[in-house]
Amino acid sequence: MMTYIQTEPLTREPFAPFGDVIEYRGESLGNNQGRCRKYPALGAYSGWWCQCC
């Protein structure tokens, strides 16, 4: 028997209890022979923190 999962868009408000959602609307670059996109400006995001450090 196959199980189907209902998906929903990942948006800021419903995800807020779990952390931040990064919404990016800037330029992206083709990467990996066009199979994915690279967003170089996201490296400037200053909200990252690590629970393990």
Side-chain angles (χ1 to χ4, degrees):
M1 178 167 62
M2 186 167 297
T3 302
Y4 293 93
I5 300 173
Q6 179 75 28
T7 60
E8 297 179 20
L10 177 63
T11 57
R12 193 173 287 199
E13 292 80 19
F15 194 77
F18 307 102
D20 295 328
V21 173
I22 300 173
E23 297 179 35
Y24 187 76
R25 295 191 172 107
E27 181 182 355
S28 67
L29 306 171
N31 197 15
N32 201 15
Q33 289 81 37
R35 290 190 293 262
C36 61
R37 305 300 297 167
K38 180 178 179 182
Y39 300 91
L42 283 178
Y45 180 68
S46 62
W48 293 114
W49 58 279
C50 177
Q51 288 180 299
C52 62
C53 301

